[in-house]
Amino acid sequence: MNMNILFLSPENPYPPQGGHHLRSYNVLRLLAQDHRIFFVGFSQGNADFYYIPQLGKLCETVDIFRVPRTGYNLPFLREAVKNLFQPHPLIAERYLIKAARQRIRELMERCAIDLVHIDMLACALYRDGMEGVPVLVTNHNVESLRLQRRCQVTANPFLRSYLLYQSRKLYRFEREMCGRFDCCITVSAADRDYLQQMSGASRFAVIPNGVDTGYFRPVEGEETTGRLVWVGGMATAYNADAVDFFIGQIWPLITRLVPGVTIDFIGHSPTAKLRQTAAIDPRVRLFGFVDDVRPLVQSAALFIAPIRSGSGTKIKVLNAMAQAKAVVGTTVAAEGIEARDGVHLCIADEPGLFAERVAGLLADPSRREQMGRAAQRLIEEKYSWDVIDMQMKRLYGQFETKA
């Protein structure tokens, strides 16, 4: 055991079933192999408290504090209105809790903390009071850019105005906070360059999102001709917009080009538009949440990622590539991945081009296989957690000598 690390996260990353959870859990798991971890996190629901024992297998201590659930509920809406009169963005103010600050202070004093890992900018306001030890922050996304893009696809004028207001506060917050950490970790070079130019800070490192290549890998099985697949819960605005964009503007074009096409949607909380389409179109199948998505992904001919908003690299895309699946996605979906258009995946933003790319790959099995294999090799070379573990050891080792 080399260092005592305080790991501060806006979520309990267990179970690691998608998105931020997958990255946060694997980073925590890798750090716990060499260091003692003291975990402080937050929860928007009761389930996170149930999983404390599982997280405790990796950590010396686990503390989780409750925050209002994001969405149209009175406690969260109250926080959103209150934030109109607060200096920092909602994403940061909502996690600033007196009891959590007190517990962090206790851990810093009693447990001889050598290094602090802040997992996401949402917890950056706890930076005050951590003097004397190295403090690293991981930026899973460029949060202000993520909200700006969401504004562009939000129809509700009141919500769009509020999101624009928050994106501007976030921009100022990111610009101010990046320079206050001993190192800012980003998931891609594109995010690093954006934040570096914005903030003028120089202490950045890139640790990409990773894939468990022992779990996500090609397996023997029959591929269903003409079948597409989407993976991702649709409770988030970013995935919901992607699905509605696809169903409303791309799916009708694909069905004209490929009459026998079908699609499987895997993920909880399907949107109203998707449910309505599935009710009248037997080619659209809804699976809800699935514990193991691999068989359904493997049986599909093509993986789609029509994502228009958000930031960071998309773990769902990395996982599909690791399974040697050909992917058609937008520029946003491919952002931050060191992939070449037409070699490792296909990129299309306009509905007509997206449909044409899908139809072309469905009609060419050998090209799909070639693209899938190239994608798998890229993941194994650059995005395997085994490769990323070595990068993390080098980065955190620099601070171990200072601890």
Side-chain angles (χ1 to χ4, degrees), residues 41-246:
F42 301 86
S43 170
Q44 298 184 32
N46 294 327
D48 286 333
F49 294 90
Y50 174 80
Y51 292 116
I52 285 177
Q54 282 76 13
L55 200 60
K57 294 176 183 178
L58 299 175
C59 305
E60 301 294 315
T61 62
V62 176
D63 294 280
I64 295 180
F65 298 87
R66 187 69 182 267
V67 295
R69 184 179 296 277
T70 302
Y72 292 102
N73 61 79
L74 186 58
F76 181 75
L77 292 176
R78 188 184 298 120
E79 292 288 329
V81 172
K82 179 181 176 183
N83 188 249
L84 294 171
F85 308 98
Q86 293 174 317
H88 301 114
L90 177 61
I91 194 176
E93 293 281 3
R94 66 180 304 206
Y95 292 105
L96 194 59
I97 297 173
K98 183 178 179 180
R101 186 185 289 279
Q102 181 176 345
R103 178 56 176 159
I104 288 169
R105 189 181 301 117
E106 291 174 358
L107 291 169
M108 295 288 292
E109 293 173 355
R110 297 179 185 178
C111 301
I113 297 298
D114 298 307
L115 180 144
V116 179
H117 171 107
I118 296 182
D119 203 59
M120 295 180 65
L121 196 72
C123 296
L125 288 178
Y126 289 99
R127 176 65 179 88
D128 293 334
M130 294 178 175
E131 289 75 15
V133 298
V135 184
L136 284 63
V137 64
T138 294
N139 300 275
H140 287 234
N141 311 279
V142 179
E143 297 294 345
S144 58
L145 179 61
R146 192 180 186 215
L147 269 194
Q148 287 170 23
R149 288 172 172 169
R150 185 178 168 191
C151 289
Q152 294 168 4
V153 298
T154 297
N156 184 309
F158 298 104
L159 178 58
R160 187 170 61 248
S161 296
Y162 188 81
L163 293 175
L164 181 61
Y165 166 73
Q166 286 294 327
S167 73
R168 289 170 176 167
K169 290 181 82 169
L170 265 168
Y171 183 90
R172 293 192 296 269
F173 188 65
E174 286 173 322
R175 185 176 59 191
E176 171 194 349
M177 294 302 296
C178 283
R180 297 191 58 199
F181 293 95
D182 295 275
C183 183
C184 290
I185 301 169
T186 64
V187 301
S188 72
D191 284 4
R192 176 201 60 200
D193 294 345
Y194 190 97
L195 287 170
Q196 207 163 27
Q197 183 176 11
M198 171 205 294
S199 66
S202 59
R203 293 171 293 188
F204 281 86
V206 177
I207 301 290
N209 284 329
V211 178
D212 182 346
T213 51
Y215 185 81
F216 289 101
R217 58 186 176 84
V219 295
E220 294 296 328
E222 185 176 346
E223 184 180 277
T224 304
T225 303
R227 177 171 293 170
L228 313 178
V229 66
W230 156 275
V231 175
M234 289 152 273
T236 67
Y238 307 98
N239 282 352
D241 173 75
V243 167
D244 284 350
F245 170 56
F246 180 84

Side-chain angles (χ1 to χ4, degrees), residues 28 36-37 51 63-65 114 131 139 168 172 181 184 267 275-276 287-288 290 293 303-304 329 337 362 387 394 401:
L28 182 64
R36 297 184 185 89
I37 307 298
Y51 292 116
D63 294 280
I64 295 180
F65 298 87
D114 298 307
E131 289 75 15
N139 300 275
R168 289 170 176 167
R172 293 192 296 269
F181 293 95
C184 290
R275 293 195 306 270
Q276 292 163 6
F287 282 85
V290 174
V293 304
F303 187 96
I304 61 154
I337 303 173
L362 289 179
V387 174
R394 286 195 295 270
T401 58

